[in-house]
Amino acid sequence: MKRAWTAVAAASALLLSACGGGGDDTPVDSAGATINIGSVYEPQNLDNTAGGGQGVTEALNGNVYEGLFKLTDAGTVEPLLATAHTASEDGLTYTFTLADGVTFHSGKALTSADVKASIERVTAETSKSARKSSLAVVKEIATPDDRTVTVTLSAPSISFVYNLSYVWIVNTAAGDLTTTADGTGPYKLGEWKRGATLSLTRNDAYWGTKAKNAGAVFHYFTDATALNNALLTNAIDVVTSEQSPDALAQFENNPAYKINEGTSTTKLLLAFNDRVAPFDKVQVRKAVSAAIDNAKLLNSIWGEYGALIGSMVPPGDPWYEDLTAVNAYDVEAAKRLLAEGGQPNGFTFTLDTPNYDPHPTAATFIKSELAKIGVTVEINTITSDEWYTKVYQERDFQATMQEHVNDRDVVWYGNPDFYWGYSNATVTDLVKQAEAAKTEAAQSDLLKQANKIIAEEAASDWLYLYPQIVVASSALSGYPLNGRNSQFFVYDIVKS
């Protein structure tokens, strides 16, 4: 980070991640309050196995749907619907005991059959879940009784419990969940008005601790100015992730608002299609990466906020290393590499760019930078839906821009079938070895080795790590700060 964090500030950040910048006292009227939330991430649909995008995670994960385990805002994994679990000595068999008295919003009792079906939804051939490949080790699922689930793996998986925190447990009888929802969480889905809002209402029959408010409404915006104006006019109470640092001045030194800086896992990528020419050449990818002044880009968009990391691994991951010196900004080196890659006179490529901030601005900057080495960028602006179909599903692209929100996602470079098509047998083997490791230390060592190769081969250009800035009304407390993996837990938020 460009800012220096003191020990006091770091301690404060940890405290705020738990309490959202407020005290623990709940105002008397907070249980009847509705929390209005501003976001630029509207879901594509409401099913996280059907390409719902980060918006569906932000709105529904932990609020409407729950997993056997929960990934907290601080990054730890805690039991949720699984009250206990054991693993065999060989690491191939896991047995989970389900919480008692849990019901879905429809009234149906949770059973082991629902857990089995929910895991199988993620691993199904038609699944679009980003964690599908991570759970491919699931060999067999048994349900000896309604509260017991036994999962047999084809190989040891040190990340198995962590990966289960991504699996929503859904009602097996629910049917199509792209526009409806039936979870076990503290909120029920209210109404989704596409292009405008998505509402949640408190589940008063919730099996756990009841939500501290009556519900929430997510308000969706396509640009940062409108988002911030909504906060200034009290149309919303909180912005889940600030998109415009220039707008922060209007909230600073204003007692009506609080600016919070959390810890981000979101990386902005210039992702090459490594399957197609000329990006199938390592030298060309390295040349493009070296020709872009990432520090200047970050400063132009975020000022003093954000960070350069030089790889897919953010500082919160156990295997983080600062790799910003790899493929560092060097125009002359970029020209040499371009010639070595068979493109001495440059080339032209199309950059598929999502139409929301900050992608168009960053794309224009990249176009200007690459012109210095004779590379012409044709910007093709597309919607989120178009990006998902064209880039993620059909792989019909040369290069694209996208933010990747998950932690521990460098492992996707070990999967040659992922949308960017990076294929290196050594990396794939290191990722497999890391997943089979007996200890977290061994896992970290192997993934550091893999990450260094990925960075050295410029599999993508990791432009910068987003800052995680939550701006809220001073009347609000209990909101999450880190937005880990785009989650935004609503249930502890109170409004005085």
Side-chain angles (χ1 to χ4, degrees), residues 9 11-25 27 73 212 237-238 255-262 470-482 488-489 492-496:
S12 297
L14 290 173
L15 175 62
L16 287 172
S17 70
C19 66
D24 293 329
D25 295 332
D73 194 50
K212 295 180 180 179
D237 302 306
V238 59
Y257 302 98
K258 182 161 188 177
I259 300 172
N260 309 271
E261 187 173 4
V470 179
V471 184
S473 162
S474 295
L476 228 60
S477 62
Y479 45 88
L481 294 186
N482 296 322
F488 196 80
F489 303 133
D492 282 335
I493 301 178
V494 296
K495 179 163 43 171
S496 58

Side-chain angles (χ1 to χ4, degrees), residues 29 46 58 62 66 73 76 95 117 120 126 136 142 168 199-200 217 222 258 262 288 297 350 354 377 477:
D29 63 347
L46 302 184
E58 181 180 72
E66 298 176 308
D73 194 50
T76 59
T95 301
E120 290 172 344
T126 56
W168 290 353
S199 63
L200 308 177
V217 179
T222 56
K258 182 161 188 177
V288 170
L297 172 63
T350 299
V377 179
S477 62

Side-chain angles (χ1 to χ4, degrees), residues 120-437:
E120 290 172 344
R121 287 179 79 248
V122 174
T123 60
E125 185 176 348
T126 56
S127 170
K128 299 172 184 176
S129 170
R131 292 290 160 175
K132 178 179 177 179
S133 61
S134 301
L135 292 168
V137 293
V138 174
K139 180 180 179 182
E140 183 181 6
I141 306 173
T143 56
D145 60 57
D146 281 351
R147 289 189 58 209
T148 306
V149 181
T150 301
V151 181
T152 302
L153 307 181
S154 59
S157 173
I158 194 171
S159 303
F160 182 56
V161 167
Y162 166 83
N163 287 325
L164 285 177
S165 70
Y166 286 83
V167 178
W168 290 353
I169 305 305
V170 304
N171 182 354
T172 53
D176 181 18
L177 292 170
T178 56
T179 57
T180 62
D182 191 13
T184 62
Y187 297 94
K188 298 178 181 179
L189 176 67
E191 183 179 9
W192 180 25
K193 298 178 181 178
R194 287 181 182 268
T197 60
L198 183 150
S199 63
L200 308 177
T201 58
R202 183 173 56 217
N203 175 18
D204 288 323
Y206 181 54
W207 65 277
T209 303
K210 305 296 188 293
K212 295 180 180 179
N213 52 67
V217 179
F218 285 82
H219 300 256
Y220 297 112
F221 300 85
T222 56
D223 70 85
T225 300
L227 177 65
N228 288 311
N229 285 341
L231 184 58
L232 286 168
T233 57
N234 299 317
I236 59 175
D237 302 306
V238 59
V239 173
T240 62
S241 182
E242 180 58 60
Q243 301 297 307
S244 173
D246 293 338
L248 293 178
Q250 59 196 321
F251 302 112
E252 291 173 347
N253 303 316
N254 187 334
Y257 302 98
K258 182 161 188 177
I259 300 172
N260 309 271
E261 187 173 4
T263 302
S264 174
T265 59
T266 301
K267 293 81 59 179
L268 181 63
L269 269 66
L270 170 58
F272 311 115
N273 188 340
D274 297 347
R275 302 178 184 87
V276 303
F279 296 117
D280 57 342
K281 300 289 187 183
V282 172
Q283 295 96 328
V284 172
R285 300 196 303 261
K286 289 169 69 72
V288 170
S289 298
I292 300 171
D293 189 345
N294 291 343
K296 186 176 179 181
L297 172 63
L298 175 61
N299 185 264
S300 69
I301 294 177
W302 287 106
E304 64 181 79
Y305 296 97
L308 302 181
I309 53 176
S311 78
M312 190 69 164
V313 180
D317 284 4
W319 32 90
Y320 168 73
E321 287 185 311
D322 182 351
L323 297 179
T324 52
V326 178
N327 298 320
Y329 177 60
D330 187 331
V331 174
E332 293 307 313
K335 292 177 180 178
R336 291 194 301 271
L337 286 162
L338 207 56
E340 291 173 11
Q343 302 290 337
N345 299 316
F347 61 95
T348 299
F349 74 94
T350 299
L351 178 59
D352 288 317
T353 304
N355 63 351
Y356 57 91
D357 293 335
H359 302 94
T361 301
T364 301
F365 179 90
I366 289 169
K367 180 175 182 176
S368 175
E369 291 287 278
L370 295 184
K372 298 173 185 177
I373 61 168
V375 173
T376 301
V377 179
E378 296 179 347
I379 299 172
N380 178 39
T381 304
I382 57 179
T383 66
S384 295
D385 285 340
E386 289 170 332
W387 186 93
Y388 186 82
T389 301
K390 184 177 187 294
V391 177
Y392 190 80
Q393 286 187 302
E394 298 175 356
R395 285 80 187 276
D396 178 22
F397 73 105
Q398 289 179 284
T400 188
M401 294 190 64
Q402 188 56 264
E403 67 269 15
H404 280 256
V405 304
N406 295 305
D407 59 354
R408 306 189 184 195
D409 54 1
V410 70
V411 296
W412 292 336
Y413 286 97
N415 176 14
D417 293 328
F418 202 63
Y419 81 87
W420 47 53
Y422 176 71
S423 181
N424 180 302
T426 300
V427 168
T428 298
D429 185 58
L430 285 168
V431 170
K432 288 181 178 178
Q433 289 183 53
E435 194 56 27

